[in-house]
Amino acid sequence: MKRIIKATLAILCVSVSVSIAQQNVSGIIVDKQTKEPIPGVNIVIKGEAKGTITDLMGAFQLQVPIDQEISISYLGYETLQMKATADFDQVELAQSSVELNQVVISASRDAQMRSETPVAISSLSAQQIEEAKATSTDQLLNKTPGVYMVDLGNEQHSMAIRQPLSYKSLFLYLEDGVPVRTTGVFNHNALIEMNMASFKNIEVIRGPASSLYGSEAIGGAVNFITLNPTSTLLAKASVQANNLGYKRGDLMFSDTYGKVGVVASTNYATRVDGYRDHSDYEKFALTLKATVELSEKALWSNSMTYVNYRSDAAGSLDSASFYGQEYSSFQTFTDRDVEALRYKSALDYYWDRGSKSSATFFYRSNSVKQNPSYRIKDDYSPWANPGGDENLAHSEVNDNSFNSYGLILQHKEVLNFWNSSMTTGASLDYSPSSYLANYISVHKTDAGVYDGFTPSDSVLTNYETDLINYAGYAQLELNPVAKLHVTAAVRFDRFTYVYDNHLPSNAYSGAPDETNHFNAFTPKVGLNYSISQRSGMYANFSQGFVPPQVSELYRGVKVPTLDPAVFTNYEVGGWFALLNNKASIDVAVYQLNGKDEIINVQQPSGDYANENAGETVHRGVEYGFNYKPISDLYIRLSGTNAQHEFKDYVESGVDFSNNEMATAPSWIANGEITYRPSFVRGLRVGIEWQHMDEYYTDAANTSTYEGFDIFHVRIGYEFKGFETWLNIMNVGDKIYATNVTKSAWGTNYQPGDPRTFNVGLAYKFQK
């Protein structure tokens, strides 16, 4: 009996001593830059196999021996080791400047390791976005491998991803995984409808992504991921201005109240009396988001973005004006007026074993009103109308609007074999749209300036189109053997265009009422092989498609018979850690074949009509290199070397087969060196280089533009919540054009901005 009592007392003593030596540690892990909670962070007791991960709100609890250290790690972030204390509260993790793409969202609509993603994908981090102090989105995206976004002034733009500098509907723009615009009404200027103050990070998928996102994701899909609520109070305000008449102010507020988190971000920008005549603009943008933690497994998120934008449309310059630096405008009245509203409500439920279900409802309201310079056509033409009035031109004012009502359902199920999972989804997008255009007569001076117009009640175009797209998709991911990851995906889309014309058959747009259907079946197969945790290789085969645009079908007197254009992509690539993880490189080699592209083909009668007749081939290599030789210095280089050719292409009666495509430079590159001296805390100095090679300016390959090299310098300093910066863009004051095209009327130059001094001041308050 005494032995039993002694043994019991000994056990109790040991238990008490162990309990005394343990402490309950809890806290929240957040991103150092954005202060957002990070779910799924690993917290491990040093020297033991015991640990935990953070929940949906970045919180954790763990029993830790007193005075013991813990390791906090997450892919893409610097690992942090520190002594655990009972009042742990909030810990910040800094993103790694070398390993920028370790976790991505856009490749499967859900957080996923880069090593399991057989596509070329890259990401701009919150730190890169914050330090760029960009005044237009191209200043961000052009840092990305394989991407060149063309600056057309006042945030207007076109794009080049595995394509020439293009205005075509070959790129898909998303906000938090939902397309910004509906299929069939593509706008190459769609990114003026984004709120730059709301960007947390930007992910770019290069190559077709139609197996997941549907149409238009051909050259690439760009996903703008917006700010989430912070775990504690954070407020920021900033103002900036430059010597070209640009001014902008930004505000951001974020906090969490119990289970509810909120974030609001807004900015107002204006340009008055810039270096070009007729180039003023004004933009207001607001994004609101609220998240509710319904339970440990359920998260409900609601967000809204509103953008109101108006800009003069100065048009391009001829060669004499461009090289003579005569930055006047041939138009004095052309403009663009955009109003866009987007709302999204998403419910995510996390099941056991990593399975997840989500339901997303979205609504869009969009109106683009224009008096466009590109619609102005002279009455006089030496070859078409030699007897025309040289002081008269013809144009239109128009309004293209749509509303969208959509639903996306998705479920990911973790399976019981080969560490596999299956993702299935369905989507519905119903978007009634309308187009109204009225004729205007334009007066042209003897000096060639379009100085005024006379409105009329003559209606050129007046129709409505109900656009209906429903789709289903599935993606299977397998790990049949160690280090090998297999992905197979397929999507089916069904489109219905219900066209209702309000004009008679003899009108400019007099096509009869009609209902058109389009089907598309898009597969993807990919392999990933992990060499190590930070290095791997992949290969993929994928297809993408583009249905006809509404304007390609109904802007005429009859409806052509058109099918979706199809693009097939073959690709291999890899990502590798180098020099003891101080450097990383990401490489992709691809061939993209386009077939049944819609072009304007001359008929036997001499008339022209849209047909599926074009074939193109695009080959290239894309690369991104990041290097941090010492803690103070960061070096980045990204670029693409590519060849874009017409394979079988006869447009408007002219055969361009085997020619190089116009506006298709063979080399585009962007490099950057950033220095953060440790002896001056808060200071950063960076220099950026943008290169574009020579390219043909016409499809006939008769003329070229020499390309350019420009440099930007960025200097910033942070001190006790304050930040000030100076960006000197085009520091060498280079005369260059962001886009040059040649037509029968001559060569048109879109001028790049001269040397620009942009200064700013910001203040950040955080609890």
Side-chain angles (χ1 to χ4, degrees), residues 303-609:
S303 62
M304 183 276 293
T305 294
Y306 173 76
V307 173
N308 192 307
Y309 171 97
R310 198 213 71 82
S311 174
D312 294 340
S316 56
L317 300 175
D318 59 21
S319 58
S321 298
F322 173 72
Y323 287 107
Q325 295 182 271
E326 292 290 336
Y327 295 125
S328 57
S329 174
F330 292 108
Q331 291 87 27
T332 61
F333 54 84
T334 50
D335 66 352
R336 176 174 288 111
D337 193 341
V338 178
E339 188 169 26
L341 173 68
R342 296 184 298 276
Y343 168 73
K344 186 185 81 165
S345 181
L347 178 63
D348 295 324
Y349 189 84
Y350 297 81
W351 305 86
D352 294 335
R353 300 170 52 246
S355 299
K356 175 185 174 184
S357 296
S358 62
T360 302
F361 167 78
F362 61 88
Y363 169 76
R364 297 179 293 226
S365 177
N366 190 288
S367 172
V368 179
K369 298 177 181 178
Q370 296 185 94
N371 190 333
S373 59
Y374 59 83
R375 291 287 190 214
I376 298 176
K377 305 297 180 186
D378 288 346
D379 188 67
Y380 165 79
S381 169
W383 53 86
N385 189 23
D389 187 344
E390 296 187 11
N391 296 116
L392 174 66
H394 311 281
S395 189
E396 67 178 52
V397 291
N398 57 53
D399 181 359
N400 189 9
S401 304
F402 68 86
N403 293 307
S404 294
Y405 309 87
L407 180 66
I408 302 172
L409 302 175
Q410 180 170 300
H411 176 71
K412 179 179 181 180
E413 182 68 24
V414 176
L415 305 177
N416 292 323
F417 63 95
W418 288 353
N419 193 26
S420 58
S421 66
M422 170 70 81
T423 300
T424 56
S427 66
L428 172 66
D429 185 337
Y430 170 62
S431 298
S433 70
S434 64
Y435 192 97
L436 176 64
N438 276 56
Y439 170 79
I440 60 173
S441 62
V442 178
H443 180 260
K444 184 180 181 182
T445 68
D446 294 335
V449 176
Y450 304 99
D451 64 347
F453 69 94
T454 302
S456 76
D457 56 4
S458 174
V459 181
L460 297 174
T461 306
N462 185 7
Y463 62 75
E464 296 177 351
T465 310
D466 287 347
L467 305 170
I468 306 167
N469 171 211
Y470 55 86
Y473 58 91
Q475 180 165 295
L476 177 64
E477 299 179 47
L478 305 169
N479 250 138
V481 296
K483 298 186 177 182
L484 180 64
H485 194 87
V486 181
T487 301
V490 65
R491 178 180 172 116
F492 176 77
D493 280 85
R494 171 74 167 177
F495 295 90
T496 300
Y497 293 4
V498 183
Y499 172 69
D500 181 13
N501 193 0
H502 301 312
L503 298 180
S505 59
N506 61 351
Y508 176 76
S509 293
D513 294 351
E514 188 161 334
T515 298
N516 296 97
H517 302 283
F518 307 99
N519 299 326
F521 179 82
T522 47
K524 178 182 74 175
V525 178
L527 303 174
N528 285 78
Y529 182 76
S530 298
I531 300 171
S532 67
Q533 186 180 9
R534 292 180 172 86
S535 300
M537 302 180 68
Y538 74 91
N540 84 45
F541 163 83
S542 60
Q543 283 191 335
F545 70 97
V546 183
Q549 298 294 297
V550 170
S551 59
E552 293 172 328
L553 284 168
Y554 309 123
R555 189 178 172 84
V557 294
K558 65 178 182 178
V559 179
T561 301
L562 298 174
D563 295 318
V566 178
F567 291 78
T568 304
N569 185 71
Y570 307 89
E571 180 177 339
V572 294
W575 62 98
F576 309 95
L578 308 170
L579 305 175
N580 294 322
N581 297 324
K582 291 183 177 181
S584 66
I585 187 169
D586 196 323
V587 181
V589 181
Y590 70 90
Q591 177 167 316
L592 177 65
N593 300 327
K595 187 177 181 181
D596 290 336
E597 297 186 46
I598 298 172
I599 57 178
N600 198 246
V601 179
Q602 188 174 28
Q603 308 300 301
S605 63
D607 296 329
Y608 293 90

Side-chain angles (χ1 to χ4, degrees), residues 154-341:
N154 292 349
E155 299 189 43
Q156 300 164 111
H157 64 91
S158 62
M159 188 62 74
I161 308 174
R162 297 193 178 179
Q163 294 287 323
L165 315 183
S166 177
Y167 296 91
K168 291 188 175 182
S169 54
L170 300 174
F171 313 100
L172 183 64
Y173 305 121
L174 307 122
E175 183 179 51
D176 292 328
V178 177
V180 173
R181 298 177 66 87
T182 189
T183 296
V185 287
F186 177 81
N187 186 344
H188 68 84
N189 279 314
L191 296 187
I192 63 178
E193 299 167 14
M194 304 301 295
N195 176 11
M196 292 181 61
S198 71
F199 298 166
K200 178 179 72 172
N201 60 293
I202 305 171
E203 293 184 352
V204 181
I205 299 176
R206 305 188 300 277
S210 292
S211 65
L212 186 65
Y213 291 108
S215 66
E216 297 175 353
I218 303 300
V222 184
N223 191 10
F224 294 85
I225 301 169
T226 61
L227 294 165
N228 285 318
T230 56
S231 60
T232 56
L233 175 63
L234 175 66
K236 294 193 292 185
S238 67
V239 292
Q240 57 181 308
N242 69 26
N243 59 311
L244 302 183
Y246 177 85
K247 298 180 179 65
R248 173 174 154 183
D250 290 47
L251 290 172
M252 193 278 279
F253 171 87
S254 182
D255 201 357
T256 293
Y257 308 93
K259 301 292 186 180
V260 179
V262 295
V263 58
S265 53
T266 183
N267 79 87
Y268 173 76
T270 181
R271 181 198 298 274
V272 179
D273 297 331
Y275 74 99
R276 289 203 66 186
D277 292 345
H278 192 60
S279 64
D280 293 354
Y281 98 110
E282 184 177 26
K283 178 179 178 179
F284 170 77
L286 170 67
T287 298
L288 304 173
K289 181 183 286 188
T291 60
V292 183
E293 186 184 9
L294 300 176
S295 70
E296 293 181 351
K297 295 184 177 182
L299 190 66
W300 183 32
S301 175
N302 290 271
S303 62
M304 183 276 293
T305 294
Y306 173 76
V307 173
N308 192 307
Y309 171 97
R310 198 213 71 82
S311 174
D312 294 340
S316 56
L317 300 175
D318 59 21
S319 58
S321 298
F322 173 72
Y323 287 107
Q325 295 182 271
E326 292 290 336
Y327 295 125
S328 57
S329 174
F330 292 108
Q331 291 87 27
T332 61
F333 54 84
T334 50
D335 66 352
R336 176 174 288 111
D337 193 341
V338 178
E339 188 169 26
L341 173 68

